[in-house]
Amino acid sequence: MSSTADTGVRLGLRENRAQFALLVVVNVCVGGLVGLERTTVPLIGTDVFGLTSDLAVFSFIIAFGLTKALTNLAAGALTARFRRKQLLVAGWLIGVPVPFALAWAPSWGWIVAANVLLGLNQGLTWSMTVNMKIDLVGPARRGLATGLNEAAGYTAVGATALLTGYLATAYGLRPAPELIGVVFVVAGLALSLVVRDTAAHVALELARHTDHSPPTGPAAGLAATFARTSWHHRSLRGASQAGLVNNLNDGLTWGVFPLLFTDHGLGLAAVGLIKGLYPILWGIGQIPTGHLADRLGRKPLIVSGMLVQSAGFVLALVLLDRPLLAGVTSAVVLGIGTAMVYPALIASVSDHAHPRWRANALGTYRFWRDIGYAVGALVAGVLADTVGLNATVVAAAVLTAGSGVLAAWWITDRRPVA
């Protein structure tokens, strides 16, 4: 412990505010890159490439979700061999071709391939910004730290979705909306080269940790931690299933909402507003909800947030005769519900995971959470092709309410020790 103290390493948000702020800006760029796709890409599939199957249109989300989920899982194991900063920089290098492929892809297959690269990029960069912020602040402020991280990323997702909607209205679906991604790639890579690694902060937390007999060796490895986080540990299991359903909702709305609301007469600017509001509120809302998760506990926000999201889907259909009102109201309620859940889930997983295997636990949780994108797109595509878009939204509402009930049954709060 003395070696870390001698070098001036401290845990805490205020003590590490400069590096923390730099990582917040990096995650703005991470969110901005994925936000390029929220408004335009489903419509590129139907209007530019003539796809008639909803499942075919949603294939880009399936490719993104599967790749990001697997990369999240690998990222935890990779932190045992590489420093977090190295993985952060690698993620940005992988993402360089993405905006160019989206802007000028000659076929739909190129769009799907670009989403494989985007999934790799997001899995590495977002995982590392989360882990590095948690490393910096220590146990007592995890909720606020993850709230600020996710707020930065998802506010950028929403702002970019809103901007691309207006650019598509003015200049067409391609290439202008996608090329703003070049700014995010260049800025994210440059800032990631400047940020400092957080290995010393992890070492300091390990030295202070009260559990002196944590799992070690194979028991702390990826396979054992995957089983522990996915099923054996009751609270981690509850968080993993809630994360999956949460991002299933995002994947479903990503594909379904642009098609649903354009079918009811809304233009690209209005769809961009709906698709932008959801992640903007999801993002900004995580600052107060992350703080509340530290004050009130994780479980109350997780359970109530899932039920609020379920209500958001119901409102989308109840108000559909007035499509703009339906879209905006649903986006607001979904955004608030997701903001309640998101930082609390990450903080809950961190609470129940020892620092020695926390990166693998977070990687496992983020695997299940982000496989929700692929599951949501797959379920949405199959249901939309067979029973229609409206029934797909009903199914999402029922599934989300059920997930909230499971979270209430399985998750327990464990107060972190500073």
Side-chain angles (χ1 to χ4, degrees), residues 138-143 205 209-210 293-298 347-348 350-353 358 413-418:
R141 306 299 286 169
R142 285 180 184 138
E205 186 180 347
H209 205 276
T210 56
D294 290 330
R295 297 289 298 275
L296 303 178
R298 323 307 191 190
S348 180
S350 297
D351 292 344
H352 288 280
R358 186 174 64 213
D413 273 331
R414 177 181 178 182
R415 288 289 180 180
V417 179

Side-chain angles (χ1 to χ4, degrees), residues 124-143:
L124 288 174
T125 55
W126 210 309
S127 292
M128 291 310 106
T129 59
V130 168
N131 276 287
M132 293 171 84
K133 287 187 180 72
I134 289 174
D135 296 342
L136 290 172
V137 303
R141 306 299 286 169
R142 285 180 184 138

Side-chain angles (χ1 to χ4, degrees), residues 49-203:
F49 294 110
L51 301 180
T52 56
S53 165
D54 290 326
L55 183 58
V57 173
F58 300 160
S59 61
F60 80 97
I61 307 173
I62 297 172
F64 169 79
L66 283 174
T67 307
K68 186 171 187 281
L70 291 170
T71 306
N72 287 338
L73 186 61
L78 288 171
T79 57
R81 300 186 61 185
F82 301 97
R83 290 185 178 271
R84 284 147 165 65
K85 177 177 177 175
Q86 293 174 318
L87 296 172
L88 181 62
V89 171
W92 278 116
L93 291 173
I94 291 169
V96 168
V98 170
F100 301 102
L102 295 176
W104 288 299
S107 69
W108 185 247
W110 282 69
I111 298 288
V112 174
N115 274 272
V116 172
L117 294 179
L118 183 62
L120 290 167
N121 160 267
Q122 295 286 302
L124 288 174
T125 55
W126 210 309
S127 292
M128 291 310 106
T129 59
V130 168
N131 276 287
M132 293 171 84
K133 287 187 180 72
I134 289 174
D135 296 342
L136 290 172
V137 303
R141 306 299 286 169
R142 285 180 184 138
L144 179 59
T146 54
L148 290 168
N149 184 77
E150 304 303 288
Y154 283 100
T155 302
V157 171
T160 307
L162 185 60
L163 178 59
T164 54
Y166 283 103
L167 288 174
T169 300
Y171 302 105
L173 288 170
R174 298 196 300 172
E178 293 76 25
L179 288 180
I180 61 174
V182 176
V183 176
F184 296 126
V185 170
V186 171
L189 178 58
L191 292 171
S192 296
L193 291 170
V194 173
V195 74
R196 292 198 297 269
D197 194 72
T198 57
H201 296 81
V202 177

Side-chain angles (χ1 to χ4, degrees), residues 208-221:
R208 291 178 174 178
H209 205 276
T210 56
D211 182 0
H212 298 295
S213 57
T216 57

